[in-house]
Amino acid sequence: MIDIYKLEQIEKIRKANELVAKTLDFLEQNTKVGMSLKQVDKMAEEFILSHNAKCAFKGLYGFPGAICLSLNQTCIHGIPDDRILKEGDILGCDVGTIIDGYYGDAARTFGIGKISKKDEELISCAKGALLNAIDNIKEGMRFKELSKILQDYITKAGFTPLLGFCGHGIGKKPHAEPEIPNYLSAGDNAKGGPKIKNGMVFCIEPMICQKDGRPKNVRGDWETQCYDGLNTAHYEHCVAIINNKAEILSI
């Protein structure tokens, strides 16, 4: 069952997501060479708490940090620890908030100082795949059509999606139906599965690998990397279907 939210509920979800966007802006502006991931995590937590909100990820499923910080080869669920940021690193920041019982969730990957051209292309692919997918959403289309749009963009750019992970519904819970992979599995029909309807709220999150998208977990099975061991990128927005089209809430 995919939840349908009333407009007044969507506005509450929007409020949580607007704070997520502000937090990501704050982190991108203030994360510097020489900081530890723990310092970045603390900075994010203090920012969220100062806005009278809660950190949605802290303790969720046992996660130890306030936000996910995925460094270089780690694509998602990175643990904030004592690793020090260096010039040329790329960092994925995935932020969740709770305000008045409603959840916000978005992510972006950015460079620490000057980064390589390949990493610039990788990040551009993640962001571009996300925005292209949102632009193409229409009420009545199938979620599997959305997965195909994501996959086609990623592969045309010369990259590959991380396998086994997906976008998701959100609202009164941090994760809900539907699951939205960035690819079609073998045998999937893009015209099958549930339809996108007005009042649905969900997160789309391209997770981009360079050559081999099979996942492998490190650091206590939290951090997910790609099988090729190369750098990765992750972008995410929360959208609501209003008046037959997708509206980004996490801006």
Side-chain angles (χ1 to χ4, degrees), residues 27-67:
L27 292 174
E28 189 164 2
Q29 293 162 9
N30 291 280
T31 301
K32 308 294 182 186
V33 171
M35 296 179 70
S36 72
L37 297 186
K38 278 186 178 179
Q39 286 176 299
V40 179
D41 186 65
K42 182 180 179 182
M43 186 166 63
E45 182 173 14
E46 289 176 347
F47 186 86
I48 291 167
L49 294 177
S50 74
H51 287 78
N52 299 313
K54 297 178 181 178
C55 299
F57 299 160
K58 192 162 189 177
L60 183 66
Y61 315 128
F63 187 74
I67 64 171

Side-chain angles (χ1 to χ4, degrees), residues 59-120:
L60 183 66
Y61 315 128
F63 187 74
I67 64 171
C68 297
L69 290 169
S70 301
L71 182 63
N72 294 328
Q73 296 90 1
T74 298
C75 192
I76 51 173
H77 306 154
I79 294 174
D81 58 17
D82 292 322
R83 282 170 288 174
I84 302 297
L85 293 170
K86 305 184 301 296
E87 180 84 13
D89 284 338
I90 58 173
L91 182 65
C93 296
D94 193 347
V95 174
T97 63
I98 311 170
I99 299 178
D100 296 330
Y102 289 86
Y103 285 80
D105 185 5
R108 70 180 69 156
T109 301
F110 54 83
I112 307 299
K114 183 174 177 58
I115 63 174
S116 70
K117 183 179 178 183
K118 174 59 74 173
D119 285 341
E120 288 178 350

Side-chain angles (χ1 to χ4, degrees), residues 161-217:
L162 176 68
L163 302 177
F165 294 89
C166 57
H168 54 87
I170 191 172
K172 290 184 177 179
K173 299 178 181 178
H175 300 112
E177 293 295 328
E179 293 187 345
I180 310 168
N182 299 301
Y183 57 91
L184 291 177
S185 298
D188 273 354
N189 179 357
K191 296 295 184 180
K195 290 183 178 181
I196 295 173
K197 299 179 180 179
N198 282 310
M200 289 183 174
V201 183
F202 48 88
C203 293
I204 306 169
E205 47 181 317
M207 305 164 227
I208 312 299
C209 304
Q210 295 193 41
K211 294 181 179 179
D212 189 334
R214 290 177 294 166
K216 61 178 180 180
N217 290 351

